[in-house]
Amino acid sequence: MSKLTAFLVSWQRVFAIAVVIAQAGIAVTGSIVRVTGSGLGCPTWPECVEGSVVPVQHPEVAALHQWVEFGNRTLTGVVGVIAGLCVLAAWFTLPRRKRVLKLSLVQLVGVAVQAVVGGITVLTGLAWYTVSIHFMISMALVWMAVLLVSSLSEGDGPARLLVPAPLMKLQVVMAAVLSALLLAGTWVTAAGPHAGDASTPRLGIEVATLAQIHADLLFLFLGLLIAVGFFTRTRAYWTLVGVVLAQGALGMVQYWTGVPEVLVSIHVLGAGAVVVATAALWTSSRERTHEVELPASGDQALSKA
């Protein structure tokens, strides 16, 4: 048991970084499900098809669509395992840190919530609003996963600002605008050709209108980002600038080229990268001191083994 405990503790940061990648990655695989028209490849839940959890030959559902959707569902289990390892590492790290444990539990509970929402999405025939909720939860979990990684090198004391207070207020507004930007992006997809399945009802608004709303929100986000630049120009800030500009350019290319499938998934990956970079700017703008002095190495768990 002591060796297992030591392994969990020493790999805690690796697990935390892995859960950031996994939460963003499963959003990308979800987009692959949509662009390949495999949203109802497994038309039931929790089974893939009636009477079988795994894909089987079916007269109405192509094997490819079954396996694409089944693969995405299977990845939920992988994310759950990684989140579980984060919780175990937080539990066995001594002294036990409540904030790290809570942020780890958020990931594990979030996976369970996503499994339920995913089931509802299938049972409602890929209703566009359920898909939007599914994606937005993923992005929220990505944000919280970045906070988890940051918490491992922070303390549990009150947060102390490293930047002027107005900057933090701007970042709160940025986070709100980013949420609206991401949500509008899901609407563009819901109204376009890649809503998840050929028979899926589309959102009844012109794609051009939704794309314009999405673009306007991007310009607003860029304006706020410029304003933030008057207060700080750290590495985290320039990273966010670069990621946002790349994502914006990709979105324009995507629109001009008729929304090709591969660019949809890359755009979703970019959305996750923007969330990670924005959360990283947030965490770099404040610090928390240690309420208790932490051991210098990962051997703390062995002291009580």
Side-chain angles (χ1 to χ4, degrees), residues 7 14 23 84 119 134 142 144 163 168 178 193 197 209 250 259 268 272 281 291:
F7 167 75
V14 175
Q23 294 289 14
H134 204 29
V142 170
M144 297 303 291
V163 297
M168 299 307 297
L178 177 58
D197 183 80
T209 300
L250 176 62
V259 199
V268 170
L281 178 63
E291 293 180 328

Side-chain angles (χ1 to χ4, degrees), residues 3-286:
K3 289 184 178 180
L4 175 60
T5 301
F7 167 75
L8 290 170
V9 171
S10 63
W11 281 65
Q12 185 176 27
R13 180 171 294 277
V14 175
F15 297 147
I17 294 173
V19 85
V20 174
I21 297 171
Q23 294 289 14
I26 200 167
V28 176
T29 62
S31 73
I32 293 173
V33 170
R34 298 192 81 178
V35 299
T36 58
S38 304
L40 294 177
C42 289
T44 62
W45 188 87
E47 295 179 317
C48 180
V49 293
E50 192 69 34
S52 178
V53 174
V54 299
V56 295
Q57 186 172 0
H58 194 282
E60 298 178 3
V61 184
L64 174 63
H65 291 170
Q66 286 191 55
W67 281 105
V68 170
E69 169 62 8
F70 179 73
N72 187 58
R73 292 187 183 187
T74 303
L75 280 176
T76 301
V78 174
V79 181
V81 169
I82 297 172
L85 289 171
C86 288
V87 173
L88 290 175
W91 181 262
F92 285 114
T93 298
L94 300 176
R96 191 168 296 131
R97 302 180 57 203
K98 291 182 179 179
R99 185 162 178 266
V100 175
L101 182 58
K102 287 178 180 179
L103 288 170
S104 299
L105 285 169
V106 165
Q107 295 301 312
L108 187 59
V109 173
V111 172
V113 171
Q114 281 290 68
V116 174
V117 174
I120 293 173
T121 300
V122 172
L123 296 177
T124 57
L126 305 184
W128 66 267
Y129 52 87
T130 63
V131 177
S132 294
I133 292 171
H134 204 29
F135 176 77
M136 294 302 292
I137 293 174
S138 284
M139 294 300 99
L141 289 173
V142 170
W143 182 287
M144 297 303 291
V146 174
L147 297 189
L148 173 60
V149 173
S150 179
S151 71
L152 298 179
S153 56
E154 297 176 333
D156 297 306
R160 182 178 73 86
L161 297 184
L162 299 175
V163 297
L167 175 57
M168 299 307 297
K169 294 179 180 179
L170 271 176
Q171 289 192 60
V172 171
V173 177
M174 279 180 60
V177 173
L178 177 58
S179 297
L181 177 62
L182 293 170
L183 184 60
T186 68
W187 294 346
V188 174
T189 303
H194 306 304
D197 183 80
S199 60
T200 301
R202 269 52 175 176
L203 176 59
I205 303 177
E206 288 292 330
V207 173
T209 300
L210 293 172
Q212 185 61 58
I213 293 173
H214 188 52
D216 291 343
L217 287 168
L218 173 61
F219 290 134
L220 177 57
F221 188 81
L222 282 170
L224 291 169
L225 192 54
I226 292 171
V228 167
F230 287 102
F231 293 95
T232 182
R233 294 176 186 175
T234 60
R235 179 183 298 178
Y237 171 75
W238 289 117
T239 299
L240 177 57
V241 170
V243 171
V244 171
L245 290 178
Q247 178 73 340
L250 176 62
M252 288 188 288
V253 172
Q254 185 180 0
Y255 183 74
W256 292 334
T257 56
V259 199
E261 290 87 346
V262 65
L263 291 187
V264 173
S265 295
I266 295 175
H267 201 55
V268 170
L269 177 62
V274 171
V275 172
V276 170
T278 307
L281 178 63
W282 174 269
T283 60
S284 70
S285 301
R286 47 200 288 166

